[in-house]
């Protein structure tokens, strides 16, 4: 729902309904400009997803606001808190994390007052909070644009005067970014994150004054105007000032105390770059680019409780294609449990989505991953029976955007690994999909889990703490010992034949389990090979695949 103002009408105070309208209009603006913002994304990594990340972050903020309105009649304070909290929970990428921190900074002031002077203070607090969240602030980025917006309205005024001056100064600062950051100047583009912020501020002007800012007013002298987008030459789009950047982007929400977060910042800063830690009051959004994704997650575990962990591999070929304004021909998107498997699949060239215990990825998260792959053709591996409908809906939405998507109904991570092992992007799409589907279908799968409560299963009654051996999704074995139950499950699976056993072990699995099972296979099944992978934290104790 949007509030429509009459001609020459302007708001005196930013009430709850106005905040709601601003969220909706900001999302609409970012939706219109998403592809163009993605196209000019060359800093800090030329991965072409800044527009998408900003859109998804704004979408999370709007959903949080709508949820508050659905439950009650909120005041301005409740609405701005919901907006900031939703953005924090849904922040994506470097740009989304910074946008979430900007909104959080604004909310800290707008809960106290709603007029133009409070808005001016809110924009100043937002710029300061965002800069503080970034480990190494760089001029010529969204931080510069935010600071200029705040400086432009520092003297206060009416709501419309403040919003208009902030927007105008932000546009002027955006036009200057190619001269401040060399990588932008070489590519001939303005900062992508800064352009997104200009769109958000333009939506604010429209909300409080009923007038949509004229894009023609952004025309620059000697620099690319925000509305003028062209493909970026690959040679002009290095990851970080001409140097190859880290291999992975790691993002997670973290529940932790302030002191622990201070130590976390120092540790992550030593591990990589593009570090942004936003949030507060016990909940933080952590974003960093690193070569050792496991170490970044481990640092979060030591600081507190990380969840919603997302690990993205920066594939050099995909980044170069994106920098040219092109899509790669083909990509694979795989849902995986555990950061270890995410790293394994990423090294094989897949874009990964983490599946967390009790928190499967939503359709929007799968769609985002398909977009992030930047390919004309995408093979989607849900690796979970329960995700099939969600994955099918995400694939359909991606097809509506012109992406050719093939959904292979893999039911377990070991089937996804088997499919990925035979993936060949150079052969015809249909042939590749058939080969991957055949490899997945030829892989029988099993999982070991620990029962949380007494219950009835297809193998009988289990008690809390019993080890359950599930074959093809059904409980087939109930035992007391993990190793013994695993041996029984393996024997049942290999009784039907097999050439290769794949073992995927989690961090909390006893260290001797995998060697014991490998030896068991060698002793009893001479013609069967065994491969072991480490899933890391957040995965079931043991996954078994038999091909």
């Amino acid at each position: 729902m949007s509030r429509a103002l009459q001609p020459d009408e302007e708001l005196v105070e930013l009430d709850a309904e106005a905040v709601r309208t601003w969220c909706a209009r900001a999302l609409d603006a970012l939706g219109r400009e998403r592809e163009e913002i993605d196209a000019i994304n060359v800093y800090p990594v030329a991965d072409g997803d800044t527009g998408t990340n900003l859109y998804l972050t704004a979408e999370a903020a709007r959903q949080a606001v709508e949820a508050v309105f659905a439950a009650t009649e909120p005041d301005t304070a409740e609405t701005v808190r919901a907006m900031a909290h939703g953005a924090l929970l849904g922040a994506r990428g470097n740009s989304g994390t910074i946008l979430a921190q900007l909104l959080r900074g604004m909310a800290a002031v707008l809960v106290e007052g709603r007029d133009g002077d409070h808005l001016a203070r809110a924009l100043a607090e937002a710029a300061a909070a965002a800069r503080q969240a970034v480990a190494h602030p760089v001029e010529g980025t969204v931080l510069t644009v935010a600071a200029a917006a705040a400086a432009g309205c520092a003297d206060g005024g009416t709501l419309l005067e403040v919003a208009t001056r902030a927007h105008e100064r932000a546009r002027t600062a955006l036009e200057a970014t190619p001269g401040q950051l060399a990588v932008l100047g070489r590519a001939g583009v303005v900062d992508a994150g800064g352009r997104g912020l200009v769109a958000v501020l333009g939506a604010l002007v429209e909300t409080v004054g009923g007038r949509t800012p004229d894009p023609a007013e952004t025309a620059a002298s000697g620099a690319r105007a925000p509305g003028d987008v062209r493909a970026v030459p690959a040679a002009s789009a290095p990851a970080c000032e001409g140097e190859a950047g880290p291999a992975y982007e790691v993002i997670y929400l973290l529940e932790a105390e302030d002191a622990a977060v201070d130590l976390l910042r120092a540790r992550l800063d030593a591990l990589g770059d593009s570090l942004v830690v936003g949030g507060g009051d016990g909940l933080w959004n952590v974003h960093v680019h690193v070569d050792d994704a496991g170490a970044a997650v481990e640092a979060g575990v030591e600081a507190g409780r990380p969840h919603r962990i997302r690990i993205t591999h920066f594939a050099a070929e995909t980044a170069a294609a994106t920098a040219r304004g092109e899509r790669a021909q083909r990509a694979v998107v795989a849902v995986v449990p555990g950061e270890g498997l995410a790293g394994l699949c990423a090294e094989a060239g897949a874009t990964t989505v983490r599946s967390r215990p009790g928190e499967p990825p939503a359709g929007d998260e799968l769609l985002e991953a398909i977009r992030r792959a930047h390919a004309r053709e995408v093979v989607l591996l849900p690796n979970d029976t329960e995700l099939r409908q969600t994955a099918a809906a995400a694939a359909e939405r991606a097809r509506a955007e012109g992406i050719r998507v093939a959904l292979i109904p893999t039911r377990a991570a070991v089937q996804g690994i088997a499919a990925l092992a035979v993936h060949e992007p150079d052969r015809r799409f249909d042939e590749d999909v058939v080969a991957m589907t055949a490899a997945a279908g030829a892989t029988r799968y099993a999982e070991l889990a620990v029962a949380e409560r007494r219950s009835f299963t297809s193998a009988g009654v289990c008690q809390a703490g019993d080890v359950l051996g599930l074959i093809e999704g059904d409980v087939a074995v109930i035992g007391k010992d993990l190793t013994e139950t695993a041996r029984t499950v393996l024997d049942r699976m290999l009784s039907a034949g097999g050439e290769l056993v794949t073992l995927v072990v989690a961090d909390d699995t006893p260290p001797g389990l995998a060697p014991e099972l490998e030896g068991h296979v060698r002793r009893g099944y001479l013609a069967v090979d065994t491969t072991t992978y480490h899933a890391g934290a957040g995965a079931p104790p043991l996954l078994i695949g038999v091909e």
Side-chain angles (χ1 to χ4, degrees), residues 63-428:
Q63 288 173 347
V65 169
E66 291 300 324
V68 170
F69 270 86
T72 183
E73 295 183 5
D75 58 19
T76 302
E78 292 171 316
T79 307
V80 296
R81 287 193 189 101
M83 173 185 67
H85 188 68
L88 177 67
L89 294 180
R92 306 298 175 94
N94 183 291
S95 54
T97 306
I98 293 174
L99 175 61
Q101 191 69 356
L102 286 165
L103 294 178
R104 178 180 172 82
M106 291 187 70
V109 176
L110 293 177
V111 296
E112 301 173 357
R114 311 181 297 182
D115 59 12
D117 290 343
H118 279 89
L119 177 59
R121 285 176 47 207
L123 290 167
E125 181 62 28
R131 188 169 290 267
Q132 186 177 17
V134 177
H136 300 286
V138 174
E139 297 307 321
T141 65
V142 62
L143 299 179
T144 305
V145 176
C153 59
D155 294 335
T158 68
L159 208 57
L160 181 57
E161 288 171 345
V162 169
T164 300
R165 288 202 303 269
H167 181 242
E168 290 172 349
R169 287 291 294 272
R171 287 185 313 196
T172 301
L174 177 66
E175 292 161 4
T177 56
Q180 296 172 300
L181 193 54
V183 64
L184 300 179
R186 289 195 297 270
V189 297
V190 295
D191 178 66
R195 176 169 170 177
L197 178 58
V198 168
V200 172
L201 291 174
L204 180 60
V205 174
E206 185 179 3
T207 298
V208 301
R211 182 182 69 89
T212 303
D214 183 2
E217 296 175 10
T218 64
S221 175
R224 173 86 57 86
D228 175 23
V229 178
R230 68 169 184 265
V232 182
S236 68
C240 190
E241 289 301 318
E243 300 179 3
Y248 298 97
E249 176 186 60
V250 179
I251 307 172
Y252 50 81
L253 285 176
L254 178 70
E255 296 177 20
E257 301 297 326
D258 290 7
V261 172
D262 290 340
L263 295 175
L264 174 67
R265 281 192 177 98
R267 182 169 178 183
L268 292 179
D269 193 25
L271 285 174
D273 60 30
S274 297
L275 174 61
V276 185
V277 182
D281 300 322
L283 182 63
W284 310 82
N285 193 300
V286 179
H287 170 281
V288 67
H289 295 172
V290 292
D291 283 318
D292 190 343
V297 176
E298 180 183 343
V301 172
E302 293 182 1
R305 177 178 173 265
H307 49 107
R308 299 194 185 184
I309 302 169
R310 291 189 290 273
I311 300 174
T312 303
H313 182 250
F314 294 127
E317 181 177 351
T318 300
T322 303
R324 290 192 300 269
E326 304 171 355
R327 288 186 181 273
Q329 182 62 30
R330 188 173 310 154
V332 177
V333 173
V335 179
V336 291
E339 69 271 9
L341 279 184
L344 172 71
C345 292
E347 287 174 7
T351 297
T352 61
V353 180
R354 280 290 309 278
S355 176
R356 299 162 287 274
E359 193 180 345
D364 285 345
E365 195 168 355
L366 296 181
L367 179 61
E368 178 209 356
I370 293 171
R371 290 167 173 163
R372 195 171 68 234
H374 296 293
R376 297 185 182 91
E377 302 167 341
V378 173
V379 180
L380 178 59
L381 305 174
N383 297 335
D384 187 338
T385 303
E386 301 298 323
L387 273 179
R388 183 167 181 178
Q389 294 302 319
T390 301
E396 199 59 40
R397 292 169 64 188
R399 292 182 190 116
E401 297 179 6
I403 304 171
R404 188 181 183 188
V405 182
L407 170 61
I408 298 179
T410 47
R411 296 172 289 172
V414 287
Q415 290 187 324
I417 292 172
L420 192 57
V422 301
H423 167 56
E424 291 185 14
D426 292 333
R427 64 186 167 197
R428 291 179 58 248

